[in-house]
Amino acid sequence: MNTTAAKPVHLAVYDTLADWETGHAAVQLARTGHEIRTVGPSTAPVRSAGGLRIQPDLALADLRPEDSALLILPGADLWDTSGDLAPFARTARTFLGAGTPVAAICGATAGLAREGLLDDRDHTSAVSFYLAATGYAGGGRYVEADAVTDGDLITAGPTEPVAFAREILRLLGVYEGEVLDAWYRLFHDSDPAAYGVLEKAGAL
């Protein structure tokens, strides 16, 4: 298990963000030594779909891929109702071009589709026709799965926050093998047999 990280993980925050989609990933990363820094359109407070007021640590304009271990993009109503979050998709392009991973869930996958980032990568989302509505050219790479990792890109649908977290933990080397499987079974399936594996590995 990797318990330290030289670079922080950056979690995008913006108005209407879906609170439930990144909680498992953020908590587990923080508990295993990863610094989590929030990135907003600016440093002005934003408000989540659940009404939580969040003060971003830094503005998107100040984020550089070389300073980050991973950029996490949660879903939000704004991905589909305006172009306000397009700069985050453009930043994802910069990250992937620099070899820095990106993880997108729910509406953020549509943002990446509009940016052309899913045309040549395996990916998933809520449903295939949701992404098809963006007019993107990547329909042939759509995978019916809870979460998909293709190289440095992770995608997932809105009902799969645990699978999304699993792929993030795998990509960053936080857990692997039997321990990663047990973590997923515990939080996704409520499997009591997973406790013993995680206790033995010091992962609780």
Side-chain angles (χ1 to χ4, degrees):
M1 180 177 65
N2 180 8
T3 57
T4 59
K7 297 179 181 180
V9 170
H10 288 91
L11 172 61
V13 295
Y14 21 69
D15 286 333
T16 74
L17 76 88
D19 309 66
W20 65 93
E21 293 176 345
T22 60
H24 284 283
V27 169
Q28 211 62 32
L29 288 171
R31 286 180 173 175
T32 53
H34 290 75
E35 179 188 2
I36 308 293
R37 302 202 71 201
T38 52
V39 184
S42 69
T43 55
V46 299
R47 196 166 295 276
S48 74
L52 300 182
R53 183 180 183 275
I54 302 169
Q55 179 76 53
D57 293 316
L58 72 160
L60 184 64
D62 297 324
L63 178 62
R64 302 186 305 171
E66 59 267 32
D67 297 330
S68 182
L70 170 73
L71 173 62
I72 300 176
L73 299 174
D77 294 343
L78 287 179
W79 282 112
D80 296 319
T81 59
S82 77
D84 291 356
L85 301 186
F88 285 90
R90 292 194 291 271
T91 297
R93 176 180 291 282
T94 301
F95 266 59
L96 292 170
T100 303
V102 173
I105 185 169
C106 189
T109 63
L112 298 193
R114 295 185 187 97
E115 184 64 20
L117 296 175
L118 305 184
D119 291 350
D120 301 310
R121 294 176 173 90
D122 289 345
H123 60 275
T124 194
S125 184
V127 287
S128 60
F129 56 81
Y130 169 63
L131 291 186
T134 68
Y136 84 133
R141 301 296 293 268
Y142 189 90
V143 180
E144 294 287 353
D146 52 9
V148 171
T149 299
D150 186 334
D152 290 329
L153 178 65
I154 295 169
T155 52
T159 61
E160 299 295 343
V162 180
F164 185 59
R166 177 195 63 201
E167 296 305 297
I168 290 172
L169 298 176
R170 188 203 315 273
L171 185 67
L172 294 182
V174 176
Y175 301 136
E176 55 188 20
E178 182 185 28
V179 176
L180 182 63
D181 178 66
W183 182 88
Y184 179 76
R185 287 188 289 111
L186 177 62
F187 288 99
H188 188 268
D189 304 326
S190 300
D191 182 358
Y195 274 108
V197 177
L198 296 175
E199 284 182 335
K200 184 178 179 180
L204 284 177

